[in-house]
Amino acid sequence: MDTPIATVMPDTPITPSSPSGNRELMNLETQPNKRRRKKSIVWDYFTVETVDAGCTRACCNQCKKSFAYITGSKLAGTSHLKRHITMGICPVSRQKNQQTPNTPSTKPGSVTDPPKRRYRASPGISSISFNQDRSTQDIAKMIIMHEYPPHIVEHPAFIDFVHTLQPQFNVASFNTIQGDCVAIYLREKQRLLNFISGIHGRVNLALDLWSSNQSVGYAVLTGHFIDGDWNLYRRVLNVVMVPSPDSDVAFNQALASCLSDWRLENKLLTLTLDRSFSNETINGSLRGFLSVKNPFMLNCQLIKGNCYARVISRLAQDALGAIWETVDKIRASVKYVKTSDTHEEKFLELKERLQVPSTKELFIDDQTKWNTTYHMLVAAHELKEVFACLETFDPDYKIATPTMDDWKQVEILCTYLKYFFDAANILTSPTYPTASVFYHEVSKIQAELTQAAMSEEPFTSYLTKPLKERFDEYWKDCFLVLAIAVVIDPRFKMKLIEFSFSRIYGEDAGMWIKAVDDGLHELFHEYLVQMLALPDTFMDEGLEVIPKSEASREEILHAGNIEEGTPQEGHPQEHSQDMSLISIGDGLSDFEVYISEDTTGQPMRSELDQYLEEFLLPRTQDFDILDWWRLNQAKYPTLSRMASDILSVPFSTVPTDSVFDTVSKKIDSYRSSLRPVTLEALICAKDWLQYGSLSSDSQ
């Protein structure tokens, strides 16, 4: 509550200190706004007159009519004064305007002119100088970021708009603005190239094929990598025109361009494709190409031929296709309600009468986005009682209503669409997920489909058997990489593999678990060999530097489980030479020999085995796997390098806005008419500019 203002009691006389003080008090009462300069245009037509103490009125200079302005502490404002002049209420002004309409002799500012609005200049606006080059660069950036056609600079309406804002601006031609867009692309490309060249780890690639109205395609290659601060990055690297997408070597040139442009010949780890545009012949061609260009890990076993998002999309489309007639009935009913305000009002009225508690709102699905069809079915299913009674309530409703059996099938369908939606939805987060996240969703789908395919309920079995057969192909192609990625998570390690495989494979789980364990150790061995082949000091920045000679012996023992003290072929004196190094003159040399003999025959554990044998971390929602490995890279120098590369493996090839698409991404006719270098510049530069500085957090 506001604090009340102190009030002077009537019986308390006010005695001014001097006559001048009394006059000042009167001036404050009669001229409350003396210090405020009147800025409104109406004062060109009105004069302020003081009627009596506490009452001031505004008198029209033309018709001499007075209006309220100040009464006591209330200020009437100037809106009614403006209306008096501009709306022709003033008889004198109206008469003069009728006698001399738009005469050339009329001067601006005369009494016959209506008030013009005054605009205040922004502070400091006059001190900003116009910069032609900067303005042209801003237009180029605008074209890139918002996918405007570069030819917009030649559109007459755009030119008029720009000249209205700044008459001095000379709008650049199409060729000039096209060159500016390419210049921005080249500048940002150099920055990204310098950044990628500075990371110690490997880069993973995802290759997607975009179509066009012409017979050509466009290979879009996206790089995924983790920097030295353990931030995950996802960047579009190349957009290469593919003249013959059906050719067996269609993507070799695109991949060669990417490896060359970004100097990735010795830094590539995995390549992700999709079978919608690739096959075994194409994959075999790429394996042969990469075996020459890149010392690939695991003998090119890490080429993944299926895109996670597209696999999920195909499963969803197959599931919807199983009862397409029912889906069409529901879509027609929803369309009837949503395309007429009258129909929707009747539908909502019936819903209230039936007291259906659903809060879902009906909407017509976009058949190019399967998730919208899923949400349409969920909402319609919750309102099935309303649809069942709509025919009797609304005589215009003549559409075949789904039966109760139809609704039951929709309920079962939505159960499995929910699994697919959750699995795909992880790709829509602002930051791209690490590879360790995908195993949970994939193994969940695999387990649910395996169980459902054996269901005794006829429709469930009918629906899920084909889905399981399709998903089994993806599982066999990717389970090794998925499993290795989740083992890198210290909250799960091999324990989750053992648990989930027992549910999926039953008695055969042991064989599959061994395959994961062997693949994991083989991959670690590859990294260990590479670490030993590095120069004198191979530890990351910020870690303790270990001389190569010392580290090599320790790591070799770890990797091969070699018993320390056992002479090896080609190094018969190695043990004695090393023992001479620790025979220091402190009287404990015999103790050192005793310890060495006592530990003879006990194999030393590798980093990987040590990591796997340690306790699991508790599962918490705010766990940051990248931060955990950043903090533990000194403890696991080799394993952390492997974790950095594996956690950035992409399982999807499509951009975030295409995760739920039922058709491949298509470049429109205008963009495909541009030069290939311009198209690549526009697509890549937009991707790079939207993330800002490369030193930012995970992107």
Side-chain angles (χ1 to χ4, degrees), residues 98-111:
Q98 291 174 351
Q99 293 175 352
T100 57
N102 301 325
T103 56
S105 60
T106 304
K107 296 180 180 180
S110 66
V111 293

Side-chain angles (χ1 to χ4, degrees), residues 50-71:
T50 302
V51 179
D52 53 30
C55 180
T56 304
R57 297 181 67 84
C59 182
C60 176
N61 295 335
Q62 301 178 75
C63 68
K64 305 304 179 181
K65 184 177 180 180
S66 66
F67 298 85
Y69 181 48
I70 299 175
T71 304

Side-chain angles (χ1 to χ4, degrees), residues 235-517:
R235 295 291 188 273
V236 176
L237 300 182
N238 290 88
V239 179
V240 183
M241 186 176 69
V242 182
S244 302
D246 297 329
S247 169
D248 293 342
V249 294
F251 305 110
N252 289 20
Q253 182 57 46
L255 189 57
S257 298
C258 183
L259 297 179
S260 175
D261 287 356
W262 301 95
R263 304 170 189 168
L264 300 179
E265 287 86 354
N266 297 313
K267 298 189 73 169
L268 182 62
L269 176 62
T270 67
L271 175 65
T272 304
L273 306 161
D274 185 64
R275 73 184 190 91
S276 62
F277 57 84
S278 67
N279 51 45
E280 283 302 320
T281 304
I282 291 177
N283 292 350
S285 176
L286 288 173
R287 286 191 180 95
F289 173 80
L290 289 172
S291 64
V292 176
K293 292 288 184 180
N294 183 77
F296 217 62
M297 308 294 283
L298 288 181
N299 299 319
C300 295
Q301 293 181 38
L302 297 186
I303 287 185
K304 303 188 299 301
N306 283 288
C307 166
Y308 173 86
R310 285 211 170 104
V311 168
I312 301 298
S313 179
R314 286 191 287 267
L315 288 175
Q317 291 178 74
D318 287 350
L320 289 166
I323 57 169
W324 65 269
E325 291 181 347
T326 301
V327 174
D328 279 349
K329 287 181 184 179
I330 295 173
R331 182 180 291 118
S333 297
V334 172
K335 189 181 296 184
Y336 172 84
V337 173
K338 296 300 294 183
T339 54
S340 169
D341 292 340
T342 303
H343 296 167
E344 187 168 19
E345 288 174 3
K346 289 183 178 180
F347 185 86
L348 295 176
E349 181 183 351
L350 180 58
K351 175 188 172 184
E352 290 184 7
R353 290 190 181 187
L354 296 175
Q355 297 182 348
V356 177
S358 174
T359 58
K360 299 286 186 182
E361 182 177 353
L362 292 176
F363 65 93
I364 304 172
D365 65 327
D366 175 0
Q367 296 185 53
T368 65
K369 301 277 188 182
W370 68 262
N371 62 314
T372 64
T373 306
Y374 160 63
H375 289 306
M376 180 189 72
L377 294 177
V378 170
H381 181 267
E382 289 193 9
L383 297 166
K384 60 181 181 294
E385 292 89 352
V386 185
F387 281 110
C389 300
L390 187 59
E391 185 176 1
T392 58
F393 187 75
D394 184 355
D396 295 331
Y397 181 69
K398 304 295 183 181
I399 299 173
T401 306
T403 64
M404 292 309 296
D405 287 340
D406 290 338
W407 287 118
K408 180 63 177 176
Q409 292 180 358
V410 168
E411 182 180 2
I412 295 173
L413 171 66
C414 288
T415 299
Y416 294 97
L417 288 179
K418 177 67 164 60
Y419 292 127
F420 304 152
F421 175 77
D422 290 343
N425 203 41
I426 64 175
L427 293 170
T428 62
S429 61
T431 56
Y432 196 83
T434 59
S436 58
V437 173
F438 291 91
Y439 179 84
H440 306 287
E441 301 298 335
V442 173
S443 62
K444 183 193 301 182
I445 292 176
Q446 180 70 13
E448 292 295 338
L449 291 180
T450 300
Q451 183 177 359
M454 298 183 293
S455 173
E456 296 181 358
E457 204 283 319
F459 178 73
T460 301
S461 176
Y462 163 78
L463 176 69
T464 56
K465 275 185 178 179
L467 301 181
K468 181 183 181 302
E469 292 175 2
R470 180 184 286 276
F471 198 70
D472 281 346
E473 298 176 10
Y474 176 72
W475 175 258
K476 291 177 183 178
D477 180 54
C478 296
F479 87 94
L480 179 60
V481 186
L482 287 164
I484 290 176
V486 82
V487 170
I488 296 299
D489 191 326
R491 298 171 297 172
F492 303 108
K493 302 183 182 180
M494 284 295 295
K495 296 298 182 182
L496 180 61
I497 302 300
E498 296 166 1
F499 170 76
S500 57
F501 276 25
S502 63
R503 294 180 58 196
I504 297 172
Y505 297 111
E507 296 179 355
D508 297 331
M511 176 182 65
W512 294 93
I513 293 172
K514 184 178 185 302
V516 173
D517 187 69

Side-chain angles (χ1 to χ4, degrees), residues 111-166:
V111 293
T112 58
D113 290 335
K116 296 181 180 179
R117 186 174 181 180
R118 293 176 178 174
Y119 295 91
R120 295 183 183 178
S122 300
I125 195 71
S126 59
S127 62
I128 300 177
S129 60
F130 169 66
N131 189 317
Q132 172 74 30
D133 293 337
R134 179 178 176 181
S135 299
T136 303
Q137 285 291 307
D138 287 343
I139 288 182
K141 188 176 292 186
M142 175 191 75
I143 289 172
I144 291 172
M145 294 301 296
H146 301 287
E147 299 186 8
Y148 297 139
H151 278 95
I152 193 176
V153 296
E154 296 181 349
H155 295 174
F158 178 77
I159 296 174
D160 291 343
F161 170 70
V162 172
H163 285 165
T164 302
L165 296 178
Q166 175 53 264

Side-chain angles (χ1 to χ4, degrees), residues 27-216:
N27 289 337
L28 288 174
E29 291 177 351
T30 58
Q31 300 178 8
N33 294 317
K34 182 177 180 181
R35 296 181 181 179
R36 181 179 176 185
R37 186 174 66 88
K38 295 179 175 59
K39 299 180 180 180
S40 176
I41 194 70
V42 301
W43 301 119
D44 292 339
Y45 303 89
F46 288 86
T47 302
V48 175
E49 296 180 350
T50 302
V51 179
D52 53 30
C55 180
T56 304
R57 297 181 67 84
C59 182
C60 176
N61 295 335
Q62 301 178 75
C63 68
K64 305 304 179 181
K65 184 177 180 180
S66 66
F67 298 85
Y69 181 48
I70 299 175
T71 304
S73 60
K74 295 182 179 180
L75 182 64
T78 59
S79 297
H80 61 306
L81 306 181
K82 291 179 182 178
R83 289 194 295 270
H84 179 73
I85 299 297
T86 60
M87 298 180 66
I89 299 175
C90 177
V92 177
S93 177
R94 182 171 63 249
Q95 183 179 5
K96 289 182 178 181
N97 288 336
Q98 291 174 351
Q99 293 175 352
T100 57
N102 301 325
T103 56
S105 60
T106 304
K107 296 180 180 180
S110 66
V111 293
T112 58
D113 290 335
K116 296 181 180 179
R117 186 174 181 180
R118 293 176 178 174
Y119 295 91
R120 295 183 183 178
S122 300
I125 195 71
S126 59
S127 62
I128 300 177
S129 60
F130 169 66
N131 189 317
Q132 172 74 30
D133 293 337
R134 179 178 176 181
S135 299
T136 303
Q137 285 291 307
D138 287 343
I139 288 182
K141 188 176 292 186
M142 175 191 75
I143 289 172
I144 291 172
M145 294 301 296
H146 301 287
E147 299 186 8
Y148 297 139
H151 278 95
I152 193 176
V153 296
E154 296 181 349
H155 295 174
F158 178 77
I159 296 174
D160 291 343
F161 170 70
V162 172
H163 285 165
T164 302
L165 296 178
Q166 175 53 264
Q168 299 180 45
F169 182 63
N170 182 22
V171 180
S173 66
F174 165 76
N175 289 332
T176 300
I177 210 69
Q178 180 179 232
D180 289 341
C181 290
V182 173
I184 292 174
Y185 156 74
L186 293 175
R187 182 185 69 232
E188 295 298 324
K189 182 177 182 179
Q190 187 60 50
R191 291 177 180 174
L192 182 57
L193 176 60
N194 295 340
F195 186 79
I196 293 177
S197 299
I199 65 173
H200 298 292
R202 291 176 172 265
V203 175
N204 300 282
L205 290 179
L207 191 155
D208 195 21
L209 179 67
W210 294 3
S211 62
S212 67
N213 289 330
Q214 290 83 2
S215 59
V216 300

